[in-house]
Amino acid sequence: MNKLNVVLLLLSLASGLAVVTVQNQSRQYYIALDKAEKIKISLDQDYARLKLEQARLANHKLIKAAAEAQKLRAPSAENTQIIEVK
């Protein structure tokens, strides 16, 4: 009976150690997931900010006003050259 008790004791210790190891690994995965979600939120905010800035910069009125301020004009036919690449 003593051998059986020793075997059961060793098995219960191994089982307890396995439970602790799995819980620790699960906790580490949760921490990594939380960190990744925070990074995702930050990247989503940056993306939204950049899309807004892109929309603002693509505003035709803004482009037209900048062109007028710099006295830019469309190229005339004399200033246009056609280049053929063979």
Side-chain angles (χ1 to χ4, degrees), residues 41-52:
I41 290 170
S42 174
L43 289 174
D44 285 343
Q45 289 173 346
D46 286 346
Y47 179 72
R49 182 183 52 79
L50 289 172
K51 289 294 282 184
L52 183 64

Side-chain angles (χ1 to χ4, degrees), residues 18-36:
V19 167
V20 169
T21 303
V22 168
Q23 283 180 341
N24 185 44
Q25 189 177 27
S26 174
R27 191 173 297 119
Q28 294 299 322
Y29 287 152
Y30 180 77
I31 290 169
L33 175 66
D34 189 47
K35 204 179 280 187

